[in-house]
Amino acid sequence: MIERNNGKLLTSIVVSTLAAFVGNADASMISVATGHSTAGVQASAEAYKNVVEAAVAGATAGYGTASPAVFNDISNHGLFGANSIYDIAFDFTIRFGVTPAQAGAWEFRAGTDFGLGGAVFIDGVALGFKTNDMWWAGSYGNPSQYFDYSSLLAAGNHVLQIYGLEHCCDGGQQAQFRAPGATFFTTFSSTDGLAAIPEPATFRTFGSRDGLAAIPEPATFALFGIGLLGLGAARRRKQ
């Protein structure tokens, strides 16, 4: 099926693909990357970010990347092997969308097991960091043992990143949000009601080598039609 729009031709598959992208909702996107690190306590949020990103850049047995459906009870050994409980660098990334009705002051909290501290960023800006031994252990009763930060968010796409270092011994972790007007915290998950944000580079640039079939302009269809009429007339004369 072909649809005409202001003299241009659009295939219905392109239209439906764009509609699916715009309408995709009801899920944030969670990614976890871990790596081996023997780094100690860092002096700033940026330092934690740099150390962790360097550690997760290389592939090492017992560490890896994953996209869990729910950010609850997340641990390195639970994802990548029962014996992977030492010298861990954690890079947690959560992509989510904020609707115009949700714009305002958001609160984020993360219960971590970062024995050597860690840091939290929103859209590349540090919200804060801690250098003490953080052991959440399933309780938000002690503020020193978890992250809790607020940020004013406008409508649009946002990225929450949590970096941390753990020497021993890898335990479960959780990340939650409280949107403006909400009474309770909600755990980030594939059903948390936030708009889903596709991974970077989901879309490809249209070009001469994109592998897509070209759609003829209207004049091309007209010439093709004239050619068919000519063939039909020639066949009738021959008969």
Side-chain angles (χ1 to χ4, degrees), residues 31 47 76 81 92 132 185 213 227 230:
S31 63
N76 186 67
F92 299 128
N132 60 285
F185 280 91

PDB file of all heavy atoms in Angstrom, residues 31 47 76 81 92 132 185 213 227 230:
ATOM      1  N   SER A  31      19.705  -1.246  31.745  1.00  0.00           N
ATOM      2  CA  SER A  31      20.878  -2.008  31.308  1.00  0.00           C
ATOM      3  C   SER A  31      21.904  -2.040  32.440  1.00  0.00           C
ATOM      4  O   SER A  31      22.051  -1.077  33.195  1.00  0.00           O
ATOM      5  CB  SER A  31      21.494  -1.402  30.043  1.00  0.00           C
ATOM      6  OG  SER A  31      21.972  -0.100  30.289  1.00  0.00           O
ATOM      7  N   ALA A  47      35.059  10.938  39.110  1.00  0.00           N
ATOM      8  CA  ALA A  47      36.093   9.908  39.238  1.00  0.00           C
ATOM      9  C   ALA A  47      35.477   8.510  39.278  1.00  0.00           C
ATOM     10  O   ALA A  47      35.994   7.574  38.652  1.00  0.00           O
ATOM     11  CB  ALA A  47      36.925  10.160  40.491  1.00  0.00           C
ATOM     12  N   ASN A  76      25.855  -8.923  40.564  1.00  0.00           N
ATOM     13  CA  ASN A  76      26.744  -9.433  39.525  1.00  0.00           C
ATOM     14  C   ASN A  76      26.709 -10.957  39.471  1.00  0.00           C
ATOM     15  O   ASN A  76      26.592 -11.551  38.399  1.00  0.00           O
ATOM     16  CB  ASN A  76      28.175  -8.957  39.775  1.00  0.00           C
ATOM     17  CG  ASN A  76      29.110  -9.335  38.642  1.00  0.00           C
ATOM     18  OD1 ASN A  76      28.992  -8.831  37.532  1.00  0.00           O
ATOM     19  ND2 ASN A  76      30.050 -10.222  38.907  1.00  0.00           N
ATOM     20  N   GLY A  81      27.273 -15.305  37.183  1.00  0.00           N
ATOM     21  CA  GLY A  81      27.980 -16.464  37.722  1.00  0.00           C
ATOM     22  C   GLY A  81      28.061 -16.457  39.229  1.00  0.00           C
ATOM     23  O   GLY A  81      28.313 -15.418  39.854  1.00  0.00           O
ATOM     24  N   PHE A  92      25.019   1.024  36.082  1.00  0.00           N
ATOM     25  CA  PHE A  92      23.584   0.851  35.877  1.00  0.00           C
ATOM     26  C   PHE A  92      23.060   2.032  35.051  1.00  0.00           C
ATOM     27  O   PHE A  92      23.297   3.196  35.416  1.00  0.00           O
ATOM     28  CB  PHE A  92      22.827   0.815  37.204  1.00  0.00           C
ATOM     29  CG  PHE A  92      23.218  -0.316  38.119  1.00  0.00           C
ATOM     30  CD1 PHE A  92      23.578  -0.069  39.436  1.00  0.00           C
ATOM     31  CD2 PHE A  92      23.214  -1.621  37.671  1.00  0.00           C
ATOM     32  CE1 PHE A  92      23.916  -1.095  40.297  1.00  0.00           C
ATOM     33  CE2 PHE A  92      23.556  -2.667  38.519  1.00  0.00           C
ATOM     34  CZ  PHE A  92      23.917  -2.418  39.829  1.00  0.00           C
ATOM     35  N   ASN A 132      31.384   6.036  51.567  1.00  0.00           N
ATOM     36  CA  ASN A 132      31.336   5.061  52.668  1.00  0.00           C
ATOM     37  C   ASN A 132      30.913   3.678  52.160  1.00  0.00           C
ATOM     38  O   ASN A 132      30.472   3.521  51.012  1.00  0.00           O
ATOM     39  CB  ASN A 132      30.355   5.525  53.747  1.00  0.00           C
ATOM     40  CG  ASN A 132      28.937   5.682  53.222  1.00  0.00           C
ATOM     41  OD1 ASN A 132      28.653   6.651  52.517  1.00  0.00           O
ATOM     42  ND2 ASN A 132      28.045   4.762  53.562  1.00  0.00           N
ATOM     43  N   PHE A 185       7.102   5.253  46.101  1.00  0.00           N
ATOM     44  CA  PHE A 185       8.152   4.964  45.135  1.00  0.00           C
ATOM     45  C   PHE A 185       7.739   3.771  44.268  1.00  0.00           C
ATOM     46  O   PHE A 185       7.055   2.858  44.737  1.00  0.00           O
ATOM     47  CB  PHE A 185       9.468   4.643  45.835  1.00  0.00           C
ATOM     48  CG  PHE A 185      10.236   5.850  46.296  1.00  0.00           C
ATOM     49  CD1 PHE A 185      10.047   6.360  47.574  1.00  0.00           C
ATOM     50  CD2 PHE A 185      11.135   6.470  45.446  1.00  0.00           C
ATOM     51  CE1 PHE A 185      10.751   7.474  48.000  1.00  0.00           C
ATOM     52  CE2 PHE A 185      11.851   7.587  45.865  1.00  0.00           C
ATOM     53  CZ  PHE A 185      11.655   8.097  47.144  1.00  0.00           C
ATOM     54  N   ALA A 213      14.597  -0.549  -0.752  1.00  0.00           N
ATOM     55  CA  ALA A 213      14.140  -0.407  -2.130  1.00  0.00           C
ATOM     56  C   ALA A 213      13.650   1.018  -2.366  1.00  0.00           C
ATOM     57  O   ALA A 213      12.953   1.598  -1.540  1.00  0.00           O
ATOM     58  CB  ALA A 213      13.011  -1.398  -2.422  1.00  0.00           C
ATOM     59  N   GLY A 227       4.202   2.753 -20.939  1.00  0.00           N
ATOM     60  CA  GLY A 227       4.888   1.614 -21.539  1.00  0.00           C
ATOM     61  C   GLY A 227       4.003   0.390 -21.606  1.00  0.00           C
ATOM     62  O   GLY A 227       3.981  -0.343 -22.605  1.00  0.00           O
ATOM     63  N   GLY A 230       1.539   0.773 -24.398  1.00  0.00           N
ATOM     64  CA  GLY A 230       2.173   0.556 -25.689  1.00  0.00           C
ATOM     65  C   GLY A 230       2.346  -0.911 -25.989  1.00  0.00           C
ATOM     66  O   GLY A 230       2.120  -1.373 -27.111  1.00  0.00           O
TER      67      GLY A 230
END
